[in-house]
Amino acid sequence: MLSLVLPKGSLEKATLELFDAADLTVRRTSDRDYRASIDDPRIDRVRVLRPQEIPTYLEQGLFDLGITGRDWITETDADVVSLGELQYSKATSNPVRVIIAVPADAPWQQVSDLPEDVRISTEFPALTQRFLDKHGVKARVVPSYGATEAKVPDIVDAIVDLTETGSSLRKNGLRILDTLLTSYTELVANREAYENAEKRAAMEDIALLLQGAIRARGQVLLKLNVANGGLQEILGIMPAMSSPTVTPLAGGEMHAVESVVPKRGVNTLIPSLKSAGARDILEIPISKIVD
């Protein structure tokens, strides 16, 4: 039913891990194979291509559904439908930023300080030019095809590039001057395909599974038993997404309590629960959380 295109390159590993967690495992003969498959009746064709190309291919109707970054959607100005942000990137769950950076010892403190004919290297020439026009800066925008940071100061005066943590910029002696765009990964669709009721339902199913897998990251399910007299103390300690589930046990003198809690902190939470009277404590991994 759906043709799907996934990003190759820096987002590839994190994307494949997300699809695996969502029970939509992507199968390929090798990590160099651009053709793939997913054992799901809603998906009949899968390709793995550069994220720069994906918005245009979706707009042209070559694929129904795909994953790319807001940065490339903005750069290409593609007319696509967003089914929502997928809050992950290549190293963290944080967004990436498209920034303009200059040498740390450069005299410029803001974009308007940049001199006329300043040379700027970037993989985002259209986005960069729109930003410079907005700020009244006349620059020479030089398209980059990789290793953008290495071109300062010998080849260009500044760069517009992606950063997730900023560590690579600092390592290369660069300082951020401004942010052009904050970008999450997004699930996006061809507009005509999205207007097809059957295809839209399939797209929304896939979005539900992916978002559920993301929500489950860093969460576990804790289950325990506690005597009636200790129940309120346990409930005072136990965190929950909404409120813990409490069920009386058959004997009448005990309750079962379960709650989804952050994995971080479980190492101190479990001993506290034990000290408060909890017994039979179970910590269970979670693959998806769906509202």
Side-chain angles (χ1 to χ4, degrees):
M1 180 189 301
L2 294 178
S3 54
L4 174 68
V5 57
L6 302 178
K8 192 163 186 64
S10 62
L11 278 175
E12 183 176 357
K13 183 174 183 290
T15 300
L16 297 180
E17 288 173 350
L18 173 60
F19 270 70
D20 190 51
D23 297 315
L24 296 166
T25 300
V26 179
R27 304 186 186 283
R28 293 185 291 175
T29 55
S30 77
D31 58 6
R32 295 184 179 184
D33 198 344
Y34 291 90
R35 298 175 182 269
S37 64
I38 295 176
D39 186 15
D40 187 288
R42 293 161 294 201
I43 302 171
D44 59 17
R45 182 165 66 98
V46 183
R47 296 291 183 271
V48 184
L49 300 172
R50 298 294 297 177
Q52 297 93 320
E53 305 168 313
I54 289 175
T56 301
Y57 290 158
L58 287 167
E59 181 182 40
Q60 294 173 348
L62 299 176
F63 298 93
D64 298 319
L65 189 65
I67 287 180
T68 188
R70 174 50 53 178
D71 48 348
W72 293 115
I73 299 169
T74 304
E75 168 67 18
T76 58
D77 199 25
D79 180 21
V80 293
V81 178
S82 176
L83 278 76
E85 293 177 345
L86 299 172
Q87 295 193 5
Y88 76 96
S89 50
K90 66 179 181 180
T92 70
S93 60
N94 299 325
V96 295
R97 291 184 294 152
V98 181
I99 54 87
I100 182 166
V102 298
D105 58 358
W108 314 307
Q109 298 304 313
Q110 53 191 7
V111 175
S112 59
D113 294 337
L114 293 172
E116 187 170 339
D117 285 335
V118 63
R119 299 164 301 164
I120 302 175
S121 180
T122 182
E123 293 185 33
F124 302 95
L127 175 60
T128 300
Q129 192 61 62
R130 290 195 295 266
F131 177 79
L132 295 172
D133 290 345
K134 178 181 175 182
H135 288 270
V137 176
K138 294 182 179 179
R140 285 193 288 163
V141 178
V142 182
S144 175
Y145 302 97
T148 306
E149 294 164 337
K151 295 167 183 172
V152 181
D154 300 331
I155 301 173
V156 295
D157 306 302
I159 64 168
V160 170
D161 203 5
L162 285 175
T163 184
E164 189 169 343
T165 64
S167 60
S168 182
L169 293 171
R170 292 188 293 271
K171 182 178 179 182
N172 284 277
L174 296 172
R175 167 172 54 87
I176 296 174
L177 205 59
D178 205 344
T179 297
L180 287 68
L181 178 73
T182 298
S183 174
Y184 272 111
T185 307
E186 291 188 37
L187 183 66
V188 290
N190 168 266
R191 189 166 295 279
E192 184 177 346
Y194 185 74
E195 289 171 356
N196 177 296
E198 187 177 7
K199 286 190 173 184
R200 181 188 297 190
M203 292 175 186
E204 291 173 347
D205 285 350
I206 291 166
L208 182 76
L209 294 171
L210 295 174
Q211 293 288 6
I214 288 173
R215 289 197 68 203
R217 289 179 170 178
Q219 307 288 326
V220 295
L221 178 65
L222 278 189
K223 303 181 72 168
L224 58 87
N225 296 329
V226 62
N228 293 344
L231 178 60
Q232 292 307 312
E233 185 176 357
I234 290 295
L235 294 180
I237 297 172
M238 194 88 147
M241 294 182 64
S242 52
S243 63
T245 300
V246 180
T247 308
L249 297 181
E253 297 178 356
M254 301 281 293
H255 278 81
V257 180
E258 62 181 62
S259 180
V260 175
V261 304
K263 173 69 173 175
R264 187 173 183 176
V266 164
N267 57 322
T268 57
L269 177 60
I270 288 178
S272 296
L273 292 169
K274 179 69 174 176
S275 297
R279 63 180 75 166
D280 308 323
I281 302 172
L282 299 178
E283 178 186 339
I284 302 171
I286 300 173
S287 60
K288 280 183 284 296
I289 299 174
V290 178
D291 288 334

